[in-house]
Amino acid sequence: MGDFQTVQVETDLLIIGGGMAGCGAAVEAAHWAKKNGLRVTLVDKAAIDRSGAVAMGLSAINQYVGLKDGQNTVKDYVEYVRNDLMGVTREDLVASIARHVDSTVHMFEKWGLPIWKDPKGGYVHEGRWQLMINGESYKVIVAEAAKNALGMDNIYERVFIVAPLMDGGRVAGAVGFSVREEKFYVFKAKAVLVALGGAVHVFKPRSTGEGLGRAWYPPWNAGSSAYYAIQAGAEMTCQEVRFIPVRFKDAYGPVGAWFLLFQARATNAQGEDYMVTNRPELEKWLPYGHVKPVPANLRNWLMMLDVNAGKGPIYMRTEEAIQKIVAAQTDPKEAKKKLRELEIEAWEDFLDMTISQAILWASTNVQPEEKPSEIAPAEPYFIGSHSGASGAWVSGPRDLAPDEYFWGYENMATAEGLFCAGDASGASSHKFSSGSCTEGRIAAKAAIRYIVERMQSAPAIDGAQVEKLRADILRPLALFQENKGKSTDPNINPNFVKPKSFMIRLQKIMDEYAGGVSSQFTTSQKQLERGLELLGFLKEDSAKLAAEDLHELMRCWENVHRMWQAEAHVRTVLFREETRWPGYYFRADKPAMNPDWQCFANCRYDSKSGEWTMSKRPILKLF
Ligand code: SFD
Ligand code: AMP
C-alpha cells in the first residue's frame, strides 16, 4: 500500500463523529475555542448533512423538559429515567443534560426546525417529554449550524476513524482513512471528544437477504465509540444494557406517536391487550413493575410473554385509535376533517424518519384507519442515548456529582484527555436527539476548559506507533491483493475472510449465545461462556480480514469495532448475576432481580496485558 499518502492534521480539540452529539459539540467548542485562540476539528465517515441516526430525519424531539412552563422539573426527568432503567442510572449525568436540553431545542427552532404548534402557539407534545416536529431535514439543519460554527476547512467528511492515537496513557488524537481516496489520516490533538454513535448489526438482525441493511438503528453506526474508548483504556459502563425497541414489523416504523399521541393499544391476535392480561407479571419486578409509565423493557416483556405463548402476531390497533378520536367529534363535518388530519399525521410520522415503513404500508395496501399493523421487538442495539445505557464511564458536573462520580471535567472518561457524548457516554439514557446534542455541548465546553487549564503542550507522538497503526489498518487491502488469485470467487478464499462473512459469523455467535432474536433474547452463564470462547476464535481470525477496495476496508474495521462491542457486552452480561431488564435480555440461570446487583457493572480493557477487569460501582441516589 505504498501509494497511500499519510495526511497529518494538528489541532487542539478533535471531535470524532458529526452526528447529534458531534454537531452540538462543534457549535459549543467553536465559541469557547475562539475566545481562547484554539483550533477545533471535526471528522466523520460520512457527509454530516445526512449522517448518523438522524440521517433520514425524525418526527419527534424525545427530550424536552419544559422547565419554563413549570410543569416538569429536572427531578421529574431523573425519576423517569431511573425508573425506566430499572434503577440503574447516573442521576448527575441525567440531570446535567435535563437542565440544559430546553435551550438546545430552542436553538434548533432558531436554526429553522419546524416544531408543531397548538392554536395558542405552544409546542404540541407527543407525550410528557416529547415534542412533535416536521423533522425530515432535522439533521441538515443541525449540521448546517456545525458547519457555520467551524468552517468547512476544519471538517473532514468521509474519513473513517479506526483507532486512538496515544501519548502514554493520554489520548492524543486518532487515526483513520479516507473512504474515497488513498489517504491515511493522522489527527493529533490535545483532547478528543468521541461522538461516533452506538452499534448496530452486532446481533443478527431480523432482516435477511437484500434487506440485511434494514435495521431500526442506522447500520453505519458500528461500535466505533466503544472501540475507541476501550482501546484508549477507558472504563466502560452498562455494557450489558442493550436496547430492543418495539417497532412496526419489518420496516421499523416508530411506535411512540401511536402509543402516546394517538393513544393506541397493542393487542395479540385474539384482541387481548397484553399490558392488561399480563399485568400480574409486573409484581415480579418491583418496585419498577409499579412505576408509571411501565419501563420500556417491561412493556417489551409483557408482549414477549404473549409471543412465546403462541398468541402472536401482535398488532398496533391503528384503526381503533383513529376511529376513537374521530368518534369523539360531535359534528360530522369536523369528524371528516379530523379523519383526514389523522391520516396525514400517521403517514408523515413515517415519512419524517422511517420512509421505508411508509413504502411498506403503501405496497401492502395498509390504510391505518382501516387495518391494524403488526409490531414486534427488533434485534438488540447498543445505544447509550435512547433506552439503552452502554458507553464510557464519565465524570459528572462539579455541582451535582458526588466524589465517586467526579474527576474534574464534565464528560471526561477515565482516560486522560478523552471526552464522550451521546451514544458514546454511558449510564445516562433517554437523551435522544436533543439530549445528545446537549451533551455534546456540555462535553465540548469542558474539553476546551481542560485544554486551557491542563494541556498547554501538544502531545508527543511516537513515529513507530503511527507506522504500526498504518500497517495494521491497511493490511486487509494487501492481504486481498496477495491472495486473490488463489480462488475463483473473490468472496471465498481459504487465505482470508471477507468482512460480510465475518459479520455474519459474529452475528450468529451473538444471536445464539448472547440472547438474540432466535434465542428469544434468553441466555445463561454456560451460553455466554461458550459465546466468549467462539468470540476468541473470531478475534484470532480478524487478522485475516481482507478488503477488495476502500469501501470494504471500512467494512473490515466496522466489524472489528462490532466484535469488541460484542465482547464487552458478553463479559458484562456474564458479570451481572441477575436478570434486571427482562424484555432486553433474560438470564435463564438467574431469572430474577438480585439486590446485590443494585449497582453499575463496569469493565476496562488493558491493551498491554490483554486483560479485562470487571468492577462494581455504586448507584448513588441524588434526587
Ligand atoms: O422515536 C463515524 N432517535 C430519536 N431521538 C429523538 O429525539 N426523537 C426521535 O423521534 C427519535 N427516534 C429515532 C432515533 C434514532 C433513529 C435511528 C430512529 C428513530 C430511526 C435517537 C437519536 O437519533 C439519537 O439519540 C442521537 O442521534 C444520538 O446522537 P449521537 O451523536 O450519539 O449519534 P449519531 O447521531 O448517530 O452520530 C454518530 C456519528 O458518528 C459517525 N461515525 N465517523 C467517523 N469514523 C467512524 N468510525 C464513525 N462511526 C460513526 C456517523 O457517521 C455519525 O455522523 S425514535 O424512533 O426513537
Ligand atoms: P419510540 O417511538 O418507541 O422511540 O418512542 C418515543 C418516545 O415515547 C420514547 O421516549 C419512548 O420511551 C416513549 N414511549 C413509547 N411508547 C411508550 C409507551 N407505551 N408508554 C410510555 N412511553 C412510551
Side-chain angles (χ1 to χ4, degrees):
M1 294 303 108
D3 296 343
F4 259 78
Q5 185 193 342
T6 296
V7 182
Q8 306 243 14
V9 180
E10 295 207 16
T11 188
D12 293 304
L13 175 62
L14 176 68
I15 300 170
I16 50 177
M20 291 308 288
C23 286
V27 169
E28 191 76 23
H31 175 80
W32 298 105
K34 199 168 166 198
K35 281 189 191 301
N36 292 286
L38 298 175
R39 289 159 300 178
V40 181
T41 304
L42 184 146
V43 189
D44 200 288
K45 72 194 274 193
I48 64 170
D49 270 354
R50 288 279 176 194
S51 70
V54 186
M56 266 198 275
L58 295 180
S59 58
I61 283 176
N62 279 349
Q63 189 186 2
Y64 182 74
V65 178
L67 287 174
K68 224 170 88 189
D69 312 339
Q71 281 161 353
N72 296 316
T73 62
V74 167
K75 181 171 181 281
D76 292 332
Y77 200 76
V78 170
E79 278 170 2
Y80 164 58
V81 178
R82 182 205 299 140
N83 287 336
D84 204 71
L85 268 292
M86 308 290 279
V88 180
T89 201
R90 276 275 302 273
E91 300 188 6
D92 58 325
L93 297 175
V94 176
S96 172
I97 297 169
R99 66 184 169 178
H100 295 300
V101 72
D102 293 359
S103 76
T104 302
V105 174
H106 301 150
M107 258 169 38
F108 293 157
E109 194 173 24
K110 207 175 80 193
W111 294 338
L113 179 71
I115 305 181
W116 291 17
K117 294 284 171 58
D118 61 26
K120 288 190 186 145
Y123 292 142
V124 173
H125 279 255
E126 180 184 71
R128 183 172 177 188
W129 311 108
Q130 302 86 356
L131 303 180
M132 295 303 294
I133 58 174
N134 292 107
E136 185 278 336
S137 299
Y138 190 1
K139 187 63 207 303
V140 184
I141 291 166
V142 174
E144 185 183 39
K147 287 178 179 177
N148 287 340
L150 289 187
M152 278 315 283
D153 290 352
N154 297 308
I155 299 179
Y156 292 79
E157 294 186 319
R158 303 194 190 284
V159 173
F160 182 81
I161 294 294
V162 178
L165 201 55
M166 302 297 291
D167 173 6
R170 168 186 163 190
V171 161
V175 290
F177 57 89
S178 162
V179 296
R180 293 277 166 98
E181 304 167 292
E182 295 200 331
K183 285 183 180 171
F184 179 73
Y185 276 90
V186 181
F187 295 96
K188 296 183 188 173
K190 292 177 181 166
V192 178
L193 197 158
V194 178
L196 299 165
V200 185
H201 281 353
V202 173
F203 279 83
K204 186 156 103 187
R206 285 183 182 273
S207 329
T208 53
E210 275 191 2
L212 191 66
R214 184 87 275 269
W216 169 68
Y217 223 57
W220 44 85
N221 281 357
S224 301
S225 293
Y227 182 81
Y228 187 101
I230 290 169
Q231 297 302 324
E235 185 166 325
M236 307 299 286
T237 192
C238 297
Q239 292 299 302
E240 75 283 32
V241 194
R242 54 171 76 179
F243 175 44
I244 299 175
V246 159
R247 287 293 176 263
F248 281 83
K249 192 165 174 297
D250 296 333
Y252 300 85
V255 298
W258 284 101
F259 280 134
L260 301 180
L261 187 70
F262 303 132
Q263 299 279 304
R265 295 187 314 151
T267 61
N268 65 24
Q270 281 115 50
E272 295 160 345
D273 181 345
Y274 55 83
M275 291 302 294
V276 176
T277 51
N278 291 337
R279 187 158 290 271
E281 172 71 16
L282 294 176
E283 302 292 322
K284 293 189 194 157
W285 309 98
L286 297 179
Y288 308 108
H290 279 176
V291 300
K292 274 192 183 152
V294 175
N297 65 294
L298 291 179
R299 298 199 298 267
N300 285 7
W301 182 236
L302 298 194
M303 172 193 287
M304 287 170 187
L305 290 175
D306 268 17
V307 173
N308 295 346
K311 296 181 183 172
I314 305 293
Y315 290 100
M316 178 71 83
R317 302 298 299 270
T318 57
E319 82 302 2
E320 188 187 83
I322 290 183
Q323 298 310 337
K324 208 167 149 194
I325 300 172
V326 171
Q329 311 290 322
T330 41
D331 176 356
K333 243 193 185 162
E334 282 303 311
K336 213 169 159 194
K337 200 170 131 209
K338 191 76 199 165
L339 178 63
R340 185 80 196 116
E341 244 175 61
L342 291 169
E343 277 174 40
I344 292 169
E345 285 172 7
W347 284 91
E348 177 164 349
D349 184 39
F350 291 159
L351 289 170
D352 271 351
M353 74 165 144
T354 320
I355 299 153
S356 44
Q357 184 71 56
I359 295 170
L360 188 64
W361 260 7
S363 60
T364 50
N365 302 329
V366 172
Q367 290 185 293
E369 65 281 18
E370 288 177 3
K371 191 170 153 183
S373 287
E374 254 189 273
I375 56 173
E379 53 278 350
Y381 305 110
F382 296 92
I383 164 175
S385 69
H386 203 287
S387 311
S390 54
W393 181 245
V394 297
S395 174
R398 184 184 296 274
D399 64 331
L400 291 175
D403 289 351
E404 290 86 339
Y405 298 164
F406 181 72
W407 45 97
Y409 296 92
E410 290 95 327
N411 284 76
M412 186 159 118
T414 61
E416 184 77 26
L418 171 61
F419 291 77
C420 298
D423 286 334
S425 81
S428 56
S429 319
H430 292 270
K431 317 169 198 185
F432 304 103
S433 60
S434 44
S436 295
C437 190
T438 306
E439 198 181 25
R441 293 174 61 199
I442 294 168
K445 186 176 175 186
I448 295 286
R449 190 161 58 83
Y450 165 83
I451 294 170
V452 170
E453 290 176 1
R454 293 239 196 125
M455 283 296 150
Q456 294 307 325
S457 63
I461 309 284
D462 168 19
Q465 182 194 169
V466 174
E467 276 319 302
K468 175 156 184 350
L469 282 164
R470 183 186 142 110
D472 287 349
I473 289 169
L474 302 183
R475 182 166 302 119
L477 289 167
L479 201 66
F480 180 80
Q481 291 305 327
E482 285 157 17
N483 295 290
K484 65 180 180 190
K486 295 178 186 160
S487 89
T488 51
D489 183 334
N491 295 310
I492 300 169
N493 191 309
N495 298 289
F496 58 66
V497 53
K498 278 296 198 72
K500 190 163 180 189
S501 308
F502 186 89
M503 182 182 78
I504 288 169
R505 190 166 140 200
L506 168 68
Q507 291 177 347
K508 184 171 160 64
I509 295 169
M510 295 304 285
D511 187 53
E512 293 179 356
Y513 298 95
V517 171
S518 342
S519 319
Q520 278 85 34
F521 310 110
T522 300
T523 184
S524 67
Q525 181 189 339
K526 296 290 172 207
Q527 292 273 19
L528 292 161
E529 284 169 354
R530 175 74 179 134
L532 261 186
E533 193 183 355
L534 293 171
L535 280 177
F537 293 130
L538 185 73
K539 201 186 261 178
E540 271 177 31
D541 288 348
S542 66
K544 295 282 181 194
L545 274 161
E548 212 167 325
D549 52 29
L550 286 172
H551 186 73
E552 270 199 346
L553 186 63
M554 177 179 73
R555 290 279 183 256
C556 288
W557 286 104
E558 282 176 346
N559 287 311
V560 172
H561 292 180
R562 287 188 174 107
M563 179 183 73
W564 282 81
Q565 174 64 83
E567 183 174 355
H569 180 59
V570 172
R571 285 184 185 279
T572 318
V573 176
L574 194 52
F575 182 55
R576 182 182 280 282
E577 294 185 335
E578 64 166 354
T579 293
R580 180 155 295 248
W581 300 275
Y584 291 168
Y585 72 84
F586 192 78
R587 271 223 21 197
D589 54 337
K590 306 276 176 197
M593 264 176 16
N594 175 347
D596 293 347
W597 283 94
Q598 180 65 28
C599 62
F600 295 104
N602 286 7
C603 64
R604 185 177 171 274
Y605 176 72
D606 180 346
S607 57
K608 284 209 178 82
S609 65
E611 297 291 322
W612 289 83
T613 310
M614 310 303 295
S615 53
K616 287 182 168 185
R617 299 278 177 235
I619 296 173
L620 302 172
K621 203 155 175 278
L622 310 175
F623 286 86

